[in-house]
Amino acid sequence: MTPSPALDPPRLYRVSDAMRLLSMSRTVIYEQIRAGRLRSVTQGRTRLIPASAISDYIALLEQEARAS
């Protein structure tokens, strides 16, 4: 039995969703995007953050924590 697509986690998140997932403010999210630390894409006028970019960003934070 194949799971329903409605139950799959989203592959793209709006900035407001990323704010909630990462516990960061809108300003910090956009700073991380501008710095190249958090990847994003645009669809029309909407900036979206791929789920893989959120995972990569968390891994980057963990790596930096281990290095310090």
Side-chain angles (χ1 to χ4, degrees):
M1 177 179 234
T2 306
S4 168
L7 299 178
D8 290 340
R11 296 182 64 193
L12 293 170
Y13 293 95
R14 293 181 177 270
V15 170
S16 59
D17 298 325
M19 290 168 52
R20 184 177 39 79
L21 288 169
L22 295 170
S23 300
M24 294 180 168
S25 70
R26 179 177 300 275
T27 301
V28 172
I29 294 288
Y30 279 106
E31 285 174 355
Q32 296 305 299
I33 291 170
R34 276 191 294 279
R37 293 169 51 91
L38 180 60
R39 294 186 329 275
S40 68
V41 297
T42 55
Q43 175 63 44
R45 295 179 56 197
T46 305
R47 183 166 301 276
L48 300 166
I49 301 170
S52 62
I54 292 173
S55 297
D56 292 346
Y57 182 72
I58 292 169
L60 174 66
L61 294 176
E62 290 173 338
Q63 179 184 3
E64 290 174 351
R66 283 192 299 272
S68 62

